[in-house]
Amino acid sequence: MNTGTRGRPAWANTALVSTASLILAFAVAMVIMVVTDAEIMAKYAYFIARPGDALDATFGKIALTFEAMYVGSLGSATALTETTAEAAPLIAAGLGVALAFRAGLFNIGAQGQAVMGALVGAYLGFSIKGLPIFLHLPLVILAGVLMGALWGGVVGLIKARTGAHEVILTIMMNYVAANILSFLLKQPFMRQPGTSNPIAPVLEWSATLPRVAGTRLHLGFGLALLAALGCWWLLERTRFGLRLQAVGLNPDAAATAGTSVSRVTFTTMALAGGLAGLGGLITVTAPVILTSYPSQLTVSIIGTLGFDAITVALLGRSRPIGVVLAGLLFGALKASRTAMVTIANTPKQLVDLIQALIVLLVAAPAFVIWLLPFLKERRRGAVRTVPKEAKA
C-alpha cells in the first residue's frame, strides 16, 4: 500500500505564498521608487568611485519611506484610527467580492453596488430631518445595504435566468450606477442649495456614524467586522453556505446533488451587493476629518472602492479573516499617503503602485512559486508497506 503526506498544511502554504507576494510587491515598488529618484540615480553615476554614496542614499530613502508608512498608519492613536477608517469600507466591499468568489462568481460590480448604496443612504441622510439617531441611522444603513443588494441581485437574476456572464453584466452595471449618480447630482433636489457644483447637501448628524471624538474611529469599522463575522458564520455554519461553496467548486455536481444553482447564484449576488453597498454607505456617512465634519455625496466620493475591494478579496484568499487582514493592510497604506509625502518626499502614487503589484502577484501564485522555488509544496516520498505473506 502506498501512502503520501503533504510537507505542510494547505493553509500554511497559502499563507506563505501570500506573504511572499506582499514582500515581492514592496521590493519591486522600492526599486522603482529608487530608480525614478533623480538625486539617488545621480549618485550611481560615480558608483564605482564612491559606492557608499549611492548605497547610503538608496537604503536611506527606503528606510525613510517605511518609517513614513509606520508613522502615518500606526505611529499614533490618531494614525491608527485613520487606518481603521480607511479599512472599514474596504473590508465591507471586499467581503462582497470574496463571497461571490466562493460561489464561483466574479463580482466586478462592487463599484456600482457601493455607488448605489452610498447614493440612497446619502439621500435619506440629508432629506429626512428631525428623526432621532436611533431611528434615522438604522434607516440609512438598511436602505444603503438593500440598494446594494438590489443592484447585485439584478445581475444574479439575469445570470440565473439567461446564463449571461456576470463579469460583463457587472461592468455594465458599474457604468449605469456612475451615470445615475452623475445625473442625479445635477438635479436641484440632490444639489446643495446655493451652488451649481454637483455636490449633495450635508448629511444630518443623526444619519452619520457615531465616532470617538477627535479621531476617525467610528461605528463603520465595527459594522465591517460584524459583516465579516456574519460571512464566516454563513459559510461555515449554515446549510446555504455549504451549498454556496459546493456551487463554487462544481456547479454541475451541486445540481446533481439537488442544489438549485440558479437560486444560489441570485442569493449570493444579492448578498455580495449588500456588502458592497455597506462599503459605499460607510464611506458617505463617516466623518471626513478629525473634527468629525459630516460627509457630502459627490461624484468621486467612492473613488475606486469597488476595484480596491477586488484586491482585498484576492489577497484575503476569499476568506473573511483574510479579507479583514487585507483590508487593514490596504487601509494602513492609504492612511500613510500624507506622511509619505511630508516625511519621505515620496509620491502618493507609490501606494497605488504597491496595490497594483500586489494584485499582479497574488493573482499569479504559480509565478511567485516559480520565482521562489522553496515555496513549492513538497510531498514526502511514498512509503511502501510489504505484506506479511511476502515476508514469509
Side-chain angles (χ1 to χ4, degrees):
M1 181 178 60
N2 292 333
T3 60
T5 57
R6 294 183 180 275
R8 53 177 173 258
W11 65 267
N13 195 67
T14 299
L16 282 173
V17 173
S18 297
T19 303
S21 299
L22 285 174
I23 294 173
L24 284 173
F26 276 99
V28 174
M30 293 303 110
V31 170
I32 295 175
M33 177 188 69
V34 170
V35 170
T36 56
D37 190 304
E39 292 185 6
I40 295 178
M41 295 311 297
K43 292 179 171 59
Y44 275 96
Y46 53 90
F47 180 80
I48 301 298
R50 296 172 60 183
D53 290 356
L55 294 177
D56 288 345
T58 297
F59 290 112
K61 180 73 172 182
I62 293 174
L64 199 58
T65 299
F66 278 110
E67 179 186 352
M69 288 183 180
Y70 171 78
V71 170
S73 59
L74 301 172
S76 64
T78 300
L80 186 59
T81 62
E82 186 72 23
T83 294
T84 61
E86 294 286 354
L90 287 172
I91 293 172
L95 289 169
V97 178
L99 192 66
F101 278 165
R102 297 294 290 273
L105 302 168
F106 200 172
N107 181 24
I108 301 183
Q111 180 73 10
Q113 295 149 15
V115 166
M116 296 307 294
L119 172 60
V120 171
Y123 176 72
L124 294 179
F126 69 73
S127 62
I128 299 177
K129 304 181 186 299
L131 277 182
I133 188 171
F134 63 85
L135 292 178
H136 200 181
L137 183 59
L139 174 63
V140 168
I141 294 173
L142 181 62
V145 171
L146 288 178
M147 189 62 211
L150 175 63
W151 210 249
V154 168
V155 173
L157 182 62
I158 295 174
K159 179 176 177 61
R161 291 297 179 88
T162 68
H165 203 289
E166 73 277 4
V167 170
I168 303 300
L169 292 173
T170 50
I171 289 175
M172 294 300 102
M173 293 293 278
N174 284 343
Y175 282 109
V176 174
N179 282 285
I180 288 176
L181 176 63
S182 179
F183 171 76
L184 288 179
L185 284 177
K186 295 176 183 177
Q187 308 309 308
F189 75 94
M190 280 289 293
R191 197 169 61 232
Q192 182 174 348
T195 180
S196 59
N197 296 324
I199 182 171
V202 175
L203 272 67
E204 295 290 309
W205 279 110
S206 56
T208 57
L209 296 169
R211 75 284 296 171
V212 177
T215 74
R216 289 196 66 197
L217 179 61
H218 53 70
L219 180 62
F221 185 63
L223 292 175
L225 295 181
L226 283 176
L229 181 62
C231 286
W232 172 84
W233 176 80
L234 176 72
L235 290 170
E236 305 297 335
R237 293 291 184 269
T238 68
R239 185 174 299 176
F240 175 78
L242 295 177
R243 291 173 178 170
L244 182 154
Q245 295 177 75
V247 170
L249 292 172
N250 192 325
D252 294 331
T256 302
T259 298
S260 174
V261 176
S262 59
R263 183 177 299 174
V264 170
T265 298
F266 167 72
T267 306
T268 301
M269 284 304 301
L271 290 172
L275 289 165
L278 175 63
L281 181 77
I282 291 173
T283 301
V284 80
T285 56
V288 293
I289 54 177
L290 296 181
T291 55
S292 298
Y293 189 77
S295 182
Q296 292 174 271
L297 183 67
T298 66
V299 292
S300 60
I301 190 170
I302 298 301
T304 59
L305 172 62
F307 303 111
D308 293 339
I310 299 174
T311 308
V312 171
L314 285 172
L315 181 58
R317 299 297 181 184
S318 299
R319 300 294 191 275
I321 182 62
V323 170
V324 171
L325 295 176
L328 286 170
L329 172 64
F330 284 112
L333 286 173
K334 290 179 179 293
S336 65
R337 288 187 177 196
T338 301
M340 288 170 66
V341 174
T342 56
I343 296 177
N345 194 27
T346 302
K348 292 182 179 180
Q349 288 74 15
L350 182 67
V351 170
D352 299 324
L353 174 62
I354 293 173
Q355 288 185 214
L357 289 169
I358 290 174
V359 173
L360 178 64
L361 295 170
V362 170
F367 171 73
V368 176
I369 293 173
W370 173 81
L371 199 62
L372 304 172
F374 65 88
L375 293 175
K376 188 174 182 180
E377 191 175 11
R378 293 183 176 88
R379 292 179 180 271
R380 294 176 185 171
V383 179
R384 177 170 295 178
T385 303
V386 182
K388 293 181 179 179
E389 293 79 0
K391 293 181 179 179

